[in-house]
Amino acid sequence: MQNNKQNRRFSLPLVAGITATILALGGGAAWWAKYSLDANREVTPKPSTVTPPVVEKPTPPQSVTEQRQVEICWLNPTADKIELVTKTVKVQKSVQADELLKIAFENLLSGTEEEAYTTAIPTGTKLIDLNLDKEGVHVNLSQQFVSGGGSASMTGRLAQVLYTATSLDPDAQVWINVDGTPLNNLGGEGLIINQPMTRSDFNNNFTL
């Protein structure tokens, strides 16, 4: 009986010690788990909440259509003489040279909208055909081209046709036909036209 009491006395403190050890170990484990969790939280970066800047894509440059130009010749009457003036017409570079000159003549024969300038080419004159070859420019105009006007008018219209036809190449030779016939004389006073004609020929033989 006495031994049983001693065993109980011995067992209670032992149990209490074991229990305390378990609790201590449990608390330590809990502390270590919490420490590890906090450490992980500190190491793992938080996702950024800052909105990244918007990078604008560079705007591609607008395609620029390459152009070529041709000149149309008008007359500018002054107090003592008549001057030749030019107006530039621009078209796409893909247009061929002969088509470019045809566009110039269509504008020339339509008349000028500039109040300061005038034209000596009779109304109703049409471009029948225009061709370019290795020799120069061949222009075929309708019969209206030779109608009406004196020598000043004839000289002026000749200059307009010649200088417009040579606007792409100032040294080019020009042949002028009227309804398919070579133009040898122009007007009632009979201006003699030597074919082919160049700007140099005109300046040496005619005066505006």
Short mmCIF file of all heavy atoms in Angstrom, two decimals, residues 62-124:
data_model
loop_
_atom_site.label_atom_id
_atom_site.label_comp_id
_atom_site.label_asym_id
_atom_site.label_seq_id
_atom_site.Cartn_x
_atom_site.Cartn_y
_atom_site.Cartn_z
N GLN A 62 3.88 58.60 -93.36
CA GLN A 62 2.93 58.56 -94.45
C GLN A 62 3.69 58.46 -95.76
O GLN A 62 4.72 59.10 -95.96
CB GLN A 62 2.06 59.82 -94.45
CG GLN A 62 1.17 59.92 -93.22
CD GLN A 62 0.31 61.14 -93.26
OE1 GLN A 62 0.46 61.98 -94.14
NE2 GLN A 62 -0.59 61.27 -92.33
N SER A 63 3.14 57.62 -96.61
CA SER A 63 3.80 57.47 -97.89
C SER A 63 3.63 58.74 -98.70
O SER A 63 2.55 59.28 -98.84
CB SER A 63 3.17 56.29 -98.66
OG SER A 63 1.79 56.52 -98.84
N VAL A 64 4.73 59.20 -99.19
CA VAL A 64 4.71 60.43 -99.98
C VAL A 64 4.78 60.02 -101.45
O VAL A 64 5.70 59.35 -101.90
CB VAL A 64 5.90 61.33 -99.63
CG1 VAL A 64 5.89 62.57 -100.50
CG2 VAL A 64 5.85 61.70 -98.16
N THR A 65 3.79 60.45 -102.18
CA THR A 65 3.75 60.13 -103.60
C THR A 65 4.73 61.02 -104.33
O THR A 65 4.60 62.24 -104.30
CB THR A 65 2.34 60.34 -104.16
OG1 THR A 65 1.42 59.54 -103.42
CG2 THR A 65 2.28 59.97 -105.63
N GLU A 66 5.73 60.41 -104.98
CA GLU A 66 6.70 61.18 -105.74
C GLU A 66 6.00 61.77 -106.96
O GLU A 66 5.16 61.15 -107.59
CB GLU A 66 7.87 60.29 -106.15
CG GLU A 66 8.67 59.78 -104.96
CD GLU A 66 9.91 59.03 -105.41
OE1 GLU A 66 10.22 59.08 -106.61
OE2 GLU A 66 10.55 58.40 -104.56
N GLN A 67 6.38 63.00 -107.28
CA GLN A 67 5.72 63.71 -108.36
C GLN A 67 6.73 64.19 -109.39
O GLN A 67 7.91 64.36 -109.10
CB GLN A 67 4.93 64.90 -107.81
CG GLN A 67 3.77 64.52 -106.91
CD GLN A 67 3.04 65.74 -106.40
OE1 GLN A 67 3.64 66.79 -106.15
NE2 GLN A 67 1.74 65.63 -106.24
N ARG A 68 6.23 64.40 -110.57
CA ARG A 68 7.01 65.07 -111.59
C ARG A 68 6.16 66.21 -112.11
O ARG A 68 4.94 66.23 -111.91
CB ARG A 68 7.41 64.11 -112.71
CG ARG A 68 6.25 63.48 -113.45
CD ARG A 68 6.73 62.40 -114.40
NE ARG A 68 7.76 62.87 -115.30
CZ ARG A 68 8.36 62.09 -116.21
NH1 ARG A 68 8.02 60.82 -116.30
NH2 ARG A 68 9.30 62.57 -117.01
N GLN A 69 6.77 67.17 -112.77
CA GLN A 69 6.03 68.36 -113.15
C GLN A 69 6.30 68.75 -114.60
O GLN A 69 7.30 68.37 -115.19
CB GLN A 69 6.39 69.52 -112.22
CG GLN A 69 7.85 69.91 -112.23
CD GLN A 69 8.18 70.95 -111.18
OE1 GLN A 69 7.60 70.96 -110.10
NE2 GLN A 69 9.11 71.83 -111.49
N VAL A 70 5.33 69.49 -115.11
CA VAL A 70 5.43 70.01 -116.47
C VAL A 70 4.91 71.44 -116.43
O VAL A 70 4.12 71.80 -115.54
CB VAL A 70 4.61 69.13 -117.45
CG1 VAL A 70 3.11 69.23 -117.14
CG2 VAL A 70 4.89 69.51 -118.89
N GLU A 71 5.34 72.25 -117.38
CA GLU A 71 4.97 73.67 -117.38
C GLU A 71 4.07 74.00 -118.56
O GLU A 71 4.27 73.51 -119.68
CB GLU A 71 6.22 74.54 -117.42
CG GLU A 71 7.07 74.45 -116.16
CD GLU A 71 8.31 75.30 -116.23
OE1 GLU A 71 8.68 75.72 -117.36
OE2 GLU A 71 8.93 75.56 -115.19
N ILE A 72 3.07 74.83 -118.27
CA ILE A 72 2.17 75.34 -119.29
C ILE A 72 2.52 76.81 -119.52
O ILE A 72 2.75 77.55 -118.56
CB ILE A 72 0.70 75.23 -118.83
CG1 ILE A 72 0.38 73.78 -118.48
CG2 ILE A 72 -0.25 75.73 -119.90
CD1 ILE A 72 -0.93 73.64 -117.76
N CYS A 73 2.55 77.23 -120.76
CA CYS A 73 2.96 78.61 -121.07
C CYS A 73 1.77 79.49 -121.41
O CYS A 73 0.94 79.15 -122.27
CB CYS A 73 3.94 78.61 -122.25
SG CYS A 73 5.52 77.86 -121.83
N TRP A 74 1.70 80.62 -120.73
CA TRP A 74 0.68 81.64 -120.97
C TRP A 74 1.36 82.93 -121.42
O TRP A 74 2.59 83.04 -121.40
CB TRP A 74 -0.14 81.90 -119.71
CG TRP A 74 -0.78 80.70 -119.10
CD1 TRP A 74 -0.50 80.13 -117.90
CD2 TRP A 74 -1.83 79.91 -119.67
NE1 TRP A 74 -1.29 79.04 -117.67
CE2 TRP A 74 -2.12 78.87 -118.75
CE3 TRP A 74 -2.55 79.96 -120.86
CZ2 TRP A 74 -3.09 77.91 -118.98
CZ3 TRP A 74 -3.51 79.00 -121.10
CH2 TRP A 74 -3.80 77.99 -120.18
N LEU A 75 0.54 83.90 -121.79
CA LEU A 75 1.06 85.19 -122.23
C LEU A 75 0.70 86.26 -121.20
O LEU A 75 -0.41 86.29 -120.69
CB LEU A 75 0.48 85.57 -123.60
CG LEU A 75 0.73 84.57 -124.73
CD1 LEU A 75 0.01 85.02 -126.01
CD2 LEU A 75 2.22 84.41 -125.00
N ASN A 76 1.66 87.13 -120.95
CA ASN A 76 1.46 88.23 -120.00
C ASN A 76 1.73 89.55 -120.73
O ASN A 76 2.88 89.98 -120.86
CB ASN A 76 2.40 88.07 -118.80
CG ASN A 76 2.22 89.19 -117.80
OD1 ASN A 76 1.13 89.74 -117.65
ND2 ASN A 76 3.29 89.54 -117.11
N PRO A 77 0.67 90.21 -121.23
CA PRO A 77 0.86 91.47 -121.96
C PRO A 77 1.33 92.57 -121.01
O PRO A 77 0.77 92.77 -119.94
CB PRO A 77 -0.54 91.78 -122.51
CG PRO A 77 -1.29 90.49 -122.42
CD PRO A 77 -0.74 89.78 -121.22
N THR A 78 2.38 93.28 -121.42
CA THR A 78 2.85 94.43 -120.67
C THR A 78 2.73 95.68 -121.54
O THR A 78 2.19 95.62 -122.65
CB THR A 78 4.31 94.23 -120.22
OG1 THR A 78 5.15 94.11 -121.39
CG2 THR A 78 4.46 92.97 -119.38
N ALA A 79 3.26 96.78 -121.08
CA ALA A 79 3.11 98.04 -121.80
C ALA A 79 3.79 98.02 -123.17
O ALA A 79 3.27 98.58 -124.14
CB ALA A 79 3.68 99.18 -120.96
N ASP A 80 4.93 97.37 -123.27
CA ASP A 80 5.69 97.42 -124.53
C ASP A 80 5.96 96.06 -125.16
O ASP A 80 6.52 95.98 -126.25
CB ASP A 80 7.02 98.13 -124.30
CG ASP A 80 7.83 97.48 -123.18
OD1 ASP A 80 7.27 96.62 -122.47
OD2 ASP A 80 9.01 97.83 -123.01
N LYS A 81 5.58 94.97 -124.50
CA LYS A 81 5.83 93.66 -125.08
C LYS A 81 4.92 92.61 -124.42
O LYS A 81 4.18 92.92 -123.48
CB LYS A 81 7.29 93.26 -124.91
CG LYS A 81 7.73 93.09 -123.46
CD LYS A 81 9.18 92.66 -123.39
CE LYS A 81 9.61 92.47 -121.94
NZ LYS A 81 11.01 91.99 -121.84
N ILE A 82 5.03 91.40 -124.93
CA ILE A 82 4.30 90.27 -124.36
C ILE A 82 5.31 89.29 -123.80
O ILE A 82 6.24 88.88 -124.50
CB ILE A 82 3.41 89.59 -125.42
CG1 ILE A 82 2.37 90.57 -125.95
CG2 ILE A 82 2.72 88.36 -124.83
CD1 ILE A 82 1.51 89.99 -127.07
N GLU A 83 5.12 88.92 -122.55
CA GLU A 83 6.03 87.99 -121.89
C GLU A 83 5.42 86.60 -121.83
O GLU A 83 4.20 86.44 -121.74
CB GLU A 83 6.33 88.46 -120.47
CG GLU A 83 7.04 89.79 -120.38
CD GLU A 83 7.23 90.24 -118.96
OE1 GLU A 83 6.49 89.75 -118.07
OE2 GLU A 83 8.12 91.08 -118.72
N LEU A 84 6.30 85.62 -121.90
CA LEU A 84 5.87 84.24 -121.67
C LEU A 84 5.97 83.94 -120.19
O LEU A 84 6.99 84.21 -119.56
CB LEU A 84 6.76 83.26 -122.43
CG LEU A 84 6.39 82.92 -123.88
CD1 LEU A 84 7.44 81.99 -124.45
CD2 LEU A 84 5.02 82.29 -123.96
N VAL A 85 4.90 83.41 -119.60
CA VAL A 85 4.92 83.00 -118.20
C VAL A 85 4.51 81.53 -118.14
O VAL A 85 3.82 81.03 -119.03
CB VAL A 85 3.97 83.86 -117.33
CG1 VAL A 85 4.46 85.29 -117.25
CG2 VAL A 85 2.55 83.81 -117.87
N THR A 86 4.93 80.86 -117.10
CA THR A 86 4.65 79.43 -116.99
C THR A 86 3.88 79.11 -115.71
O THR A 86 4.03 79.78 -114.69
CB THR A 86 5.95 78.60 -117.00
OG1 THR A 86 6.77 79.01 -115.91
CG2 THR A 86 6.70 78.79 -118.30
N LYS A 87 3.08 78.09 -115.79
CA LYS A 87 2.38 77.55 -114.64
C LYS A 87 2.73 76.08 -114.53
O LYS A 87 2.67 75.35 -115.53
CB LYS A 87 0.86 77.73 -114.78
CG LYS A 87 0.08 77.14 -113.61
CD LYS A 87 -1.42 77.30 -113.80
CE LYS A 87 -2.19 76.68 -112.65
NZ LYS A 87 -3.65 76.79 -112.83
N THR A 88 3.10 75.65 -113.34
CA THR A 88 3.53 74.27 -113.13
C THR A 88 2.35 73.37 -112.79
O THR A 88 1.52 73.70 -111.95
CB THR A 88 4.58 74.20 -112.00
OG1 THR A 88 5.70 75.01 -112.35
CG2 THR A 88 5.04 72.77 -111.79
N VAL A 89 2.30 72.23 -113.45
CA VAL A 89 1.31 71.20 -113.17
C VAL A 89 2.06 69.97 -112.66
O VAL A 89 3.02 69.53 -113.28
CB VAL A 89 0.49 70.84 -114.42
CG1 VAL A 89 -0.45 69.68 -114.13
CG2 VAL A 89 -0.29 72.04 -114.90
N LYS A 90 1.62 69.44 -111.50
CA LYS A 90 2.28 68.27 -110.91
C LYS A 90 1.37 67.05 -111.02
O LYS A 90 0.17 67.14 -110.79
CB LYS A 90 2.61 68.53 -109.44
CG LYS A 90 3.63 69.64 -109.23
CD LYS A 90 3.94 69.82 -107.76
CE LYS A 90 5.00 70.90 -107.56
NZ LYS A 90 5.33 71.07 -106.11
N VAL A 91 1.98 65.94 -111.38
CA VAL A 91 1.25 64.67 -111.46
C VAL A 91 2.12 63.59 -110.84
O VAL A 91 3.28 63.82 -110.50
CB VAL A 91 0.90 64.31 -112.92
CG1 VAL A 91 0.00 65.36 -113.54
CG2 VAL A 91 2.18 64.16 -113.74
N GLN A 92 1.56 62.40 -110.69
CA GLN A 92 2.31 61.29 -110.11
C GLN A 92 3.49 60.92 -111.00
O GLN A 92 3.44 61.04 -112.23
CB GLN A 92 1.39 60.07 -109.94
CG GLN A 92 0.31 60.26 -108.90
CD GLN A 92 -0.52 59.01 -108.72
OE1 GLN A 92 -0.29 58.01 -109.37
NE2 GLN A 92 -1.50 59.08 -107.83
N LYS A 93 4.55 60.49 -110.34
CA LYS A 93 5.78 60.18 -111.06
C LYS A 93 5.60 59.02 -112.03
O LYS A 93 6.35 58.89 -113.00
CB LYS A 93 6.90 59.86 -110.06
CG LYS A 93 8.28 59.78 -110.70
CD LYS A 93 9.35 59.57 -109.66
CE LYS A 93 10.73 59.52 -110.31
NZ LYS A 93 11.80 59.32 -109.30
N SER A 94 4.61 58.18 -111.78
CA SER A 94 4.40 57.01 -112.64
C SER A 94 3.88 57.39 -114.03
O SER A 94 3.91 56.57 -114.94
CB SER A 94 3.42 56.04 -111.97
OG SER A 94 2.18 56.69 -111.72
N VAL A 95 3.40 58.62 -114.20
CA VAL A 95 2.88 59.05 -115.50
C VAL A 95 4.04 59.17 -116.49
O VAL A 95 5.06 59.80 -116.20
CB VAL A 95 2.14 60.40 -115.36
CG1 VAL A 95 1.68 60.90 -116.73
CG2 VAL A 95 0.96 60.25 -114.42
N GLN A 96 3.88 58.58 -117.65
CA GLN A 96 4.92 58.62 -118.67
C GLN A 96 5.04 60.02 -119.27
O GLN A 96 4.11 60.83 -119.20
CB GLN A 96 4.61 57.61 -119.78
CG GLN A 96 4.54 56.17 -119.29
CD GLN A 96 5.87 55.70 -118.71
OE1 GLN A 96 6.94 55.98 -119.26
NE2 GLN A 96 5.81 55.00 -117.59
N ALA A 97 6.20 60.30 -119.87
CA ALA A 97 6.49 61.64 -120.38
C ALA A 97 5.48 62.10 -121.42
O ALA A 97 5.02 63.25 -121.40
CB ALA A 97 7.90 61.68 -120.95
N ASP A 98 5.09 61.23 -122.35
CA ASP A 98 4.14 61.64 -123.38
C ASP A 98 2.77 61.94 -122.78
O ASP A 98 2.10 62.89 -123.19
CB ASP A 98 4.04 60.60 -124.49
CG ASP A 98 3.68 59.22 -123.96
OD1 ASP A 98 3.78 59.00 -122.73
OD2 ASP A 98 3.29 58.35 -124.78
N GLU A 99 2.36 61.13 -121.80
CA GLU A 99 1.09 61.39 -121.13
C GLU A 99 1.15 62.69 -120.32
O GLU A 99 0.17 63.42 -120.22
CB GLU A 99 0.72 60.22 -120.22
CG GLU A 99 0.40 58.93 -120.95
CD GLU A 99 -0.81 59.06 -121.85
OE1 GLU A 99 -1.75 59.81 -121.47
OE2 GLU A 99 -0.82 58.46 -122.93
N LEU A 100 2.31 62.96 -119.77
CA LEU A 100 2.50 64.18 -119.01
C LEU A 100 2.33 65.41 -119.91
O LEU A 100 1.67 66.39 -119.55
CB LEU A 100 3.88 64.18 -118.35
CG LEU A 100 4.22 65.34 -117.42
CD1 LEU A 100 3.23 65.42 -116.27
CD2 LEU A 100 5.64 65.18 -116.88
N LEU A 101 2.90 65.36 -121.10
CA LEU A 101 2.75 66.47 -122.05
C LEU A 101 1.31 66.58 -122.55
O LEU A 101 0.82 67.70 -122.80
CB LEU A 101 3.71 66.28 -123.23
CG LEU A 101 5.19 66.57 -122.94
CD1 LEU A 101 6.04 66.30 -124.19
CD2 LEU A 101 5.39 68.00 -122.47
N LYS A 102 0.64 65.46 -122.70
CA LYS A 102 -0.77 65.52 -123.10
C LYS A 102 -1.61 66.23 -122.04
O LYS A 102 -2.50 67.02 -122.36
CB LYS A 102 -1.31 64.10 -123.34
CG LYS A 102 -0.77 63.45 -124.61
CD LYS A 102 -1.33 62.04 -124.78
CE LYS A 102 -0.77 61.38 -126.03
NZ LYS A 102 -1.30 59.99 -126.19
N ILE A 103 -1.32 65.94 -120.77
CA ILE A 103 -2.02 66.63 -119.69
C ILE A 103 -1.75 68.12 -119.74
O ILE A 103 -2.65 68.96 -119.56
CB ILE A 103 -1.59 66.05 -118.33
CG1 ILE A 103 -2.08 64.60 -118.18
CG2 ILE A 103 -2.11 66.90 -117.17
CD1 ILE A 103 -1.55 63.89 -116.96
N ALA A 104 -0.50 68.48 -120.04
CA ALA A 104 -0.14 69.90 -120.14
C ALA A 104 -0.91 70.57 -121.26
O ALA A 104 -1.44 71.69 -121.09
CB ALA A 104 1.36 70.02 -120.37
N PHE A 105 -1.01 69.92 -122.40
CA PHE A 105 -1.72 70.52 -123.54
C PHE A 105 -3.23 70.60 -123.29
O PHE A 105 -3.89 71.54 -123.74
CB PHE A 105 -1.42 69.75 -124.83
CG PHE A 105 -0.25 70.30 -125.59
CD1 PHE A 105 1.03 69.82 -125.35
CD2 PHE A 105 -0.41 71.33 -126.51
CE1 PHE A 105 2.13 70.34 -126.02
CE2 PHE A 105 0.67 71.85 -127.19
CZ PHE A 105 1.96 71.36 -126.95
N GLU A 106 -3.77 69.62 -122.62
CA GLU A 106 -5.20 69.69 -122.29
C GLU A 106 -5.50 70.90 -121.42
O GLU A 106 -6.52 71.59 -121.60
CB GLU A 106 -5.63 68.40 -121.58
CG GLU A 106 -5.69 67.18 -122.50
CD GLU A 106 -5.93 65.89 -121.74
OE1 GLU A 106 -6.04 65.95 -120.49
OE2 GLU A 106 -6.01 64.84 -122.39
N ASN A 107 -4.59 71.18 -120.47
CA ASN A 107 -4.75 72.37 -119.64
C ASN A 107 -4.52 73.64 -120.46
O ASN A 107 -5.25 74.63 -120.30
CB ASN A 107 -3.76 72.33 -118.47
CG ASN A 107 -4.21 71.41 -117.35
OD1 ASN A 107 -4.89 71.82 -116.42
ND2 ASN A 107 -3.82 70.15 -117.43
N LEU A 108 -3.53 73.62 -121.33
CA LEU A 108 -3.24 74.80 -122.16
C LEU A 108 -4.41 75.15 -123.06
O LEU A 108 -4.82 76.32 -123.16
CB LEU A 108 -2.00 74.52 -123.00
CG LEU A 108 -1.60 75.60 -124.01
CD1 LEU A 108 -1.17 76.87 -123.29
CD2 LEU A 108 -0.50 75.09 -124.93
N LEU A 109 -4.99 74.17 -123.71
CA LEU A 109 -6.07 74.42 -124.66
C LEU A 109 -7.40 74.69 -123.98
O LEU A 109 -8.35 75.15 -124.63
CB LEU A 109 -6.20 73.22 -125.61
CG LEU A 109 -4.94 72.90 -126.45
CD1 LEU A 109 -5.19 71.69 -127.34
CD2 LEU A 109 -4.51 74.10 -127.27
N SER A 110 -7.48 74.46 -122.67
CA SER A 110 -8.70 74.78 -121.92
C SER A 110 -8.76 76.25 -121.54
O SER A 110 -9.82 76.74 -121.12
CB SER A 110 -8.78 73.91 -120.65
OG SER A 110 -8.89 72.55 -120.98
N GLY A 111 -7.65 76.95 -121.69
CA GLY A 111 -7.62 78.37 -121.35
C GLY A 111 -7.20 78.61 -119.91
O GLY A 111 -7.30 77.73 -119.06
N THR A 112 -6.72 79.82 -119.66
CA THR A 112 -6.22 80.15 -118.34
C THR A 112 -7.31 80.77 -117.46
O THR A 112 -8.19 81.47 -117.96
CB THR A 112 -5.03 81.14 -118.42
OG1 THR A 112 -4.63 81.48 -117.10
CG2 THR A 112 -5.42 82.40 -119.17
N GLU A 113 -7.23 80.49 -116.17
CA GLU A 113 -8.15 81.10 -115.21
C GLU A 113 -7.50 82.29 -114.51
O GLU A 113 -8.13 82.95 -113.68
CB GLU A 113 -8.58 80.06 -114.18
CG GLU A 113 -9.37 78.90 -114.78
CD GLU A 113 -9.78 77.87 -113.74
OE1 GLU A 113 -9.34 78.02 -112.57
OE2 GLU A 113 -10.51 76.93 -114.09
N GLU A 114 -6.23 82.56 -114.84
CA GLU A 114 -5.53 83.69 -114.26
C GLU A 114 -5.93 84.97 -114.99
O GLU A 114 -5.74 85.09 -116.20
CB GLU A 114 -4.01 83.49 -114.37
CG GLU A 114 -3.50 82.26 -113.65
CD GLU A 114 -3.46 82.45 -112.15
OE1 GLU A 114 -3.54 83.62 -111.71
OE2 GLU A 114 -3.34 81.45 -111.43
N GLU A 115 -6.49 85.93 -114.27
CA GLU A 115 -6.95 87.17 -114.89
C GLU A 115 -5.80 87.98 -115.49
O GLU A 115 -5.98 88.69 -116.48
CB GLU A 115 -7.70 88.02 -113.86
CG GLU A 115 -9.01 87.40 -113.38
CD GLU A 115 -9.75 88.29 -112.43
OE1 GLU A 115 -9.24 89.41 -112.16
OE2 GLU A 115 -10.83 87.90 -111.97
N ALA A 116 -4.63 87.86 -114.90
CA ALA A 116 -3.48 88.66 -115.38
C ALA A 116 -2.89 88.10 -116.67
O ALA A 116 -2.20 88.82 -117.39
CB ALA A 116 -2.41 88.72 -114.30
N TYR A 117 -3.16 86.81 -116.95
CA TYR A 117 -2.55 86.17 -118.12
C TYR A 117 -3.60 85.91 -119.19
O TYR A 117 -4.82 85.90 -118.92
CB TYR A 117 -1.87 84.86 -117.72
CG TYR A 117 -0.86 85.03 -116.61
CD1 TYR A 117 -0.66 84.02 -115.66
CD2 TYR A 117 -0.09 86.19 -116.51
CE1 TYR A 117 0.28 84.17 -114.65
CE2 TYR A 117 0.85 86.35 -115.50
CZ TYR A 117 1.02 85.34 -114.57
OH TYR A 117 1.94 85.50 -113.57
N THR A 118 -3.11 85.67 -120.39
CA THR A 118 -4.02 85.40 -121.50
C THR A 118 -3.42 84.33 -122.40
O THR A 118 -2.31 83.84 -122.16
CB THR A 118 -4.27 86.68 -122.32
OG1 THR A 118 -5.27 86.41 -123.31
CG2 THR A 118 -2.99 87.16 -123.00
N THR A 119 -4.17 83.96 -123.42
CA THR A 119 -3.70 82.98 -124.39
C THR A 119 -4.05 83.46 -125.79
O THR A 119 -5.08 84.13 -125.99
CB THR A 119 -4.33 81.60 -124.13
OG1 THR A 119 -3.87 80.68 -125.12
CG2 THR A 119 -5.85 81.66 -124.17
N ALA A 120 -3.18 83.14 -126.75
CA ALA A 120 -3.43 83.49 -128.14
C ALA A 120 -3.97 82.31 -128.92
O ALA A 120 -4.28 82.44 -130.12
CB ALA A 120 -2.14 84.00 -128.78
N ILE A 121 -4.11 81.18 -128.29
CA ILE A 121 -4.62 79.99 -128.96
C ILE A 121 -6.14 80.10 -129.06
O ILE A 121 -6.83 80.29 -128.05
CB ILE A 121 -4.23 78.72 -128.19
CG1 ILE A 121 -2.70 78.61 -128.11
CG2 ILE A 121 -4.82 77.48 -128.85
CD1 ILE A 121 -2.21 77.45 -127.26
N PRO A 122 -6.70 79.99 -130.27
CA PRO A 122 -8.15 80.15 -130.45
C PRO A 122 -8.95 79.13 -129.65
O PRO A 122 -8.54 77.97 -129.50
CB PRO A 122 -8.34 79.95 -131.95
CG PRO A 122 -7.01 80.25 -132.55
CD PRO A 122 -6.01 79.79 -131.55
N THR A 123 -10.10 79.58 -129.16
CA THR A 123 -11.01 78.70 -128.44
C THR A 123 -11.47 77.57 -129.36
O THR A 123 -11.78 77.80 -130.54
CB THR A 123 -12.24 79.49 -127.95
OG1 THR A 123 -11.79 80.55 -127.11
CG2 THR A 123 -13.18 78.61 -127.16
N GLY A 124 -11.53 76.38 -128.84
CA GLY A 124 -11.97 75.23 -129.62
C GLY A 124 -10.83 74.41 -130.20
O GLY A 124 -11.06 73.33 -130.75
#
